[in-house]
Amino acid sequence: MRSNKEVTDMIIKNVGGAANIISFYHCATRIRFTLKDKSKFNAEFLKQQPEILGAVQAGDESQVIIGAKVGEYFNQIEKDYDIAANNTESPAPSDEHVGIIRKFINIIVAIMAPIITPLIAGGMFKVVISLLTTFNLISVKSQNYAILSFMADAVFYFLPMMLAVSAAEHFKTNKFLAIATAGVLLHPNWAAMVLAGKPVALFGVPITLASYSSTVIPIILCVWIQSYVEKFAEKVSPNVIKTMLKPLLIFIIMAPLALLLIGPIGSWLGDLLALLINSLNKVAPWLVPTIMGACSPLLVMVGMHVALTPIASLGFASPARSENILGPGMLASNIAQSGCAFAISLKEKRPQNRQIAVSAGVTALSGITEPALYGVTLKYQRALYAVMAAGGIAGFYAGITQVVRYSFGSPGIFTIVNFIGKPGNFVNAIITAIIAFILGFVFTFLIVKTDQPEKQIAKTLDGDKDANHTATTEIVYAPVDGRVIPLDQVNDEVFASKSLGSGIGINPATDLITSPITGKITMTYKTGHAIGLTSPSGTEYLIHIGIDTVNMKGNGFKVIVTKGQDVRKGDPLVQVDFAKIKAAGYDPTVLLISLNTADDALTFTTKQEVTIDDPVFSLADMRKNQHGKNN
């Protein structure tokens, strides 16, 4: 395994280097980069790395999905790269035409994501209090309960303060003045005026009485406006008194605006959103959890599930102190993914894949689904459909029984106590989880084929439907994207004569060499120009990268694996700079040879262009292969 530094250096390189990063932060499972030039985000390469679960471009964010080690990698990057201090310019203009709704969602996602951690902390704190009262360890009338409650509620009450910091970083304005504006909205004297309910005016202008504790939209609007006010103050303040006048102008403008106009607008928008959701729930109370139960994996894939957090927050700030926007539906989806992963672990015959499925099943059960989503659900054909169907049905049950959640926390088996509240709610939440797990398991077990790639080789290779091949066929995939070259046409007499064995050549279109089989690395070279592998059947394969490239002495090659390492089909083996190989005058053809295997033992593809997901040949009869070895 590579060290954290090796991995993070690789990540930084493939987001375009430190100079290409404007800002970055992390949530529970992914590092989110804002880049000057998004075209330098090498998502396809990052997806191939064993330490990385996935990479997606979501609006203006380039996201690298890590999983449990996200904090370690983030800290390593902060330690090694002074990104925040050096990269303050704006991103390069994008060719993408992003609609206003998508822009708004992207902004909300970026601002809310860093706040998820304290929200989870406060939510879990409330879970502990709930458990203490449920088991009569403390009384709801006791001083202990009162003190613990305001401790847990502090996270939500002062949410505008945290959002002020996050929004200021996003809109690139002074974060301390943003906090001061949030302080105006939360000041005890203002809260007392709101509680008193008597009309309030500033210089004769009436102020809407609204409480801003636990709110989201008002402070985001305030900070957004502040970013423009700050530019105005910078422009009009003389240099001689700028250090005093500029902050005064910003605050003396923003404080009244926050109470007179911006805060009330945000409050009205929040009330409107709540009204729409409540109206939808009254008309079809089953609909929101059903949709969330079915669509959560799709939202998580692009990191857009965070955008719904503000709406869920409105529920916690309402008199009901509960929400059904995220909690019930995501509980159904998360547990369905766990059931899917455990079903795969039983069906999967390959030990390494089985271990991955078990681990992903456990983490999904606890509410963290990225390992299951990227390691299982999206990997196996039809698994995503099984999860979406199971999550949708379980979400429908949560909807018709009106399940709600009373505090934040990634929905899973350990946070299901977040559903303790009104009579029957907790029981129905448990039933929702049981339905999701059982259906996720059963649907996956029935419709997902874990051995499909190996058992359908003959069919995959050019339509050969001879069923007798399936029991003795071994599939071999392309180690690199590119154009297929028959072995007898490659520019090397030894390989072209097939004296080492039969196989193919590929004129490479990409720079990453991946494993064509599931097996073991049995040979590596310091020069990086060749890799040897052995399949579980004992068949030996050679990948030779370029012709005579041994003379480059490793220049342009970076070997990712070590001898004796187990690999899966598609795992990265060698990173190659083919441009450097061509510049040095060498033929870049990648050769894939089944050592000591006769030509008639292989069934070749007729495709002229292949990717690493395409089979290029198969050993159609192991007895022929063995005969070839004996010869």
Side-chain angles (χ1 to χ4, degrees):
M1 293 293 291
R2 290 181 284 186
S3 67
N4 287 357
K5 179 170 175 52
E6 289 174 318
V7 175
T8 53
D9 286 346
M10 176 269 296
I11 291 173
I12 295 301
K13 179 180 178 181
N14 285 279
V15 300
N20 192 42
I21 301 170
I22 297 172
S23 62
F24 73 114
Y25 64 95
H26 76 91
C27 56
T29 56
R30 59 188 78 191
I31 302 177
R32 299 165 181 257
F33 295 93
T34 302
L35 304 178
K36 299 173 188 174
D37 184 355
K38 290 184 288 186
S39 67
K40 293 181 179 180
F41 181 53
N42 193 352
E44 292 307 313
F45 173 76
L46 289 168
K47 290 176 184 177
Q48 300 293 334
Q49 306 308 304
E51 299 88 353
I52 294 173
L53 299 175
V56 294
Q57 186 68 49
D60 290 330
E61 281 193 347
S62 304
Q63 303 173 3
V64 182
I65 301 149
I66 305 297
K69 295 189 72 173
V70 65
E72 294 181 30
Y73 289 168
F74 179 83
N75 292 338
Q76 187 73 48
I77 293 173
E78 278 199 319
K79 175 184 174 183
D80 294 341
Y81 299 93
D82 191 11
I83 292 170
N86 294 329
N87 301 338
T88 56
E89 63 220 66
S90 300
S94 173
D95 292 329
E96 299 177 39
H97 299 286
V98 182
I100 188 169
I101 294 177
R102 181 58 184 269
K103 285 181 179 178
F104 175 74
I105 291 174
N106 288 343
I107 290 170
I108 295 296
V109 168
I111 292 171
M112 286 301 301
I115 312 302
I116 297 301
T117 300
L119 289 179
I120 291 173
M124 292 308 299
F125 199 156
K126 293 172 79 71
V127 167
V128 172
I129 297 171
S130 179
L131 288 172
L132 292 173
T133 56
T134 300
F135 294 104
N136 296 319
L137 296 176
I138 62 172
S139 169
V140 293
K141 297 179 179 180
S142 68
Q143 195 175 67
N144 289 333
Y145 176 81
I147 294 173
L148 291 175
S149 293
F150 83 68
M151 287 179 178
D153 285 336
V155 172
F156 302 99
Y157 185 91
F158 292 105
L159 179 61
M161 292 282 192
M162 292 182 283
L163 287 170
V165 176
S166 183
E169 290 178 348
H170 181 83
F171 295 123
K172 302 192 184 308
T173 187
N174 188 291
K175 66 180 69 174
F176 299 105
L177 286 171
I179 294 171
T181 301
V184 171
L185 298 177
L186 297 176
H187 197 284
N189 289 354
W190 171 248
M193 292 179 185
V194 174
L195 187 62
K198 296 179 181 180
V200 177
L202 179 65
F203 298 114
V205 180
I207 304 177
T208 301
L209 294 174
S211 175
Y212 298 106
S213 64
S214 305
T215 59
V216 172
I217 297 175
I219 189 60
I220 292 177
L221 287 176
C222 285
V223 178
W224 176 54
I225 297 296
Q226 180 187 302
S227 67
Y228 291 96
V229 172
E230 183 171 352
K231 292 175 183 176
F232 166 77
E234 172 70 26
K235 184 176 181 180
V236 302
S237 299
N239 289 332
V240 177
I241 56 172
K242 182 172 289 187
T243 55
M244 295 181 293
L245 183 59
K246 179 182 173 182
L248 171 62
L249 283 175
I250 294 171
F251 193 58
I252 206 169
I253 292 173
M254 285 308 306
L257 268 181
L259 282 180
L260 287 168
L261 182 62
I262 305 170
I265 290 175
S267 179
W268 299 332
L269 288 174
D271 291 342
L272 178 61
L273 283 172
L275 178 63
L276 290 173
I277 294 297
N278 290 334
S279 298
L280 182 61
N281 284 335
K282 288 178 181 178
V283 175
W286 50 269
L287 187 58
V288 174
T290 303
I291 293 173
M292 282 302 302
C295 297
S296 283
L298 305 180
L299 294 173
V300 171
M301 267 194 287
V302 294
M304 298 304 294
H305 56 300
V306 181
L308 296 176
T309 303
I311 304 177
S313 299
L314 294 173
F316 293 130
S318 70
R321 297 290 177 182
S322 63
E323 66 89 19
N324 71 337
I325 307 304
L326 283 176
M330 292 197 75
L331 174 69
S333 180
N334 293 354
I335 302 300
Q337 290 210 59
S338 178
C340 168
F342 281 115
I344 293 293
S345 72
L346 290 182
K347 296 193 71 174
E348 181 61 74
K349 295 180 174 62
R350 290 162 286 191
Q352 189 170 7
N353 288 1
R354 204 159 51 234
Q355 292 170 11
I356 291 171
V358 170
S359 174
V362 172
T363 55
L365 200 62
S366 67
I368 304 298
T369 59
E370 274 83 355
L373 179 63
Y374 293 99
V376 178
T377 306
L378 297 179
K379 178 179 177 181
Y380 295 90
Q381 188 179 9
R382 301 178 183 171
L384 178 61
Y385 305 137
V387 167
M388 292 180 69
I393 293 171
F396 174 74
Y397 176 83
I400 61 173
T401 56
Q402 299 183 29
V403 172
V404 296
R405 180 173 61 159
Y406 293 94
S407 61
F408 271 114
S410 187
I413 198 66
F414 299 123
T415 56
I416 202 165
V417 288
N418 288 352
F419 294 85
I420 296 177
K422 65 182 181 180
N425 192 74
F426 183 57
V427 173
N428 285 323
I430 293 175
I431 294 173
T432 297
I434 292 172
I435 292 172
F437 186 88
I438 292 175
L439 293 184
F441 185 96
V442 171
F443 289 167
T444 302
F445 205 85
L446 291 178
I447 70 173
V448 177
K449 296 180 179 180
T450 58
D451 56 352
Q452 187 269 341
E454 285 74 21
K455 287 190 176 180
Q456 295 193 8
I457 296 164
K459 186 182 291 185
T460 305
L461 281 166
D462 312 316
D464 184 352
K465 299 181 181 179
D466 183 359
N468 292 328
H469 284 199
T470 60
T472 57
T473 300
E474 182 167 285
I475 190 168
V476 182
Y477 291 82
V480 68
D481 298 353
R483 180 172 55 83
V484 173
I485 303 172
L487 194 61
D488 58 6
Q489 296 180 23
V490 301
N491 190 27
D492 185 280
E493 291 184 8
V494 175
F495 288 114
S497 68
K498 302 180 183 178
S499 59
L500 293 177
S502 188
I504 63 162
I506 298 176
N507 185 17
T510 55
D511 286 345
L512 182 67
I513 305 298
T514 65
S515 179
I517 61 166
T518 293
K520 186 182 289 291
I521 302 296
T522 50
M523 180 176 60
T524 59
Y525 289 86
K526 290 182 179 180
T527 54
H529 74 289
I531 293 283
L533 305 97
T534 301
S535 72
S537 69
T539 307
E540 297 175 352
Y541 298 94
L542 172 68
I543 302 173
H544 197 282
I545 306 166
I547 306 298
D548 294 328
T549 48
V550 64
N551 297 325
M552 295 191 69
K553 298 180 180 179
N555 187 20
F557 297 86
K558 183 179 180 181
V559 181
I560 300 171
V561 292
T562 57
K563 183 177 180 180
Q565 180 178 332
D566 291 325
V567 292
R568 295 174 293 167
K569 176 263 167 188
D571 282 353
L573 303 180
V574 185
Q575 183 69 33
V576 187
D577 189 341
F578 281 111
K580 187 174 289 187
I581 290 175
K582 293 175 186 177
Y586 294 105
D587 186 330
T589 301
V590 176
L591 302 153
L592 175 60
I593 309 297
S594 181
L595 297 175
N596 299 321
T597 302
D599 210 25
D600 61 355
L602 304 182
T603 301
F604 292 93
T605 183
T606 57
K607 286 186 176 182
Q608 295 182 345
E609 300 287 337
V610 293
T611 71
I612 60 173
D613 293 320
D614 292 321
V616 289
F617 61 77
S618 64
L619 277 70
D621 190 330
M622 295 303 181
R623 289 171 298 178
K624 289 183 180 181
N625 182 36
Q626 188 61 45
H627 175 71
K629 287 185 179 183
N630 291 339
N631 288 341

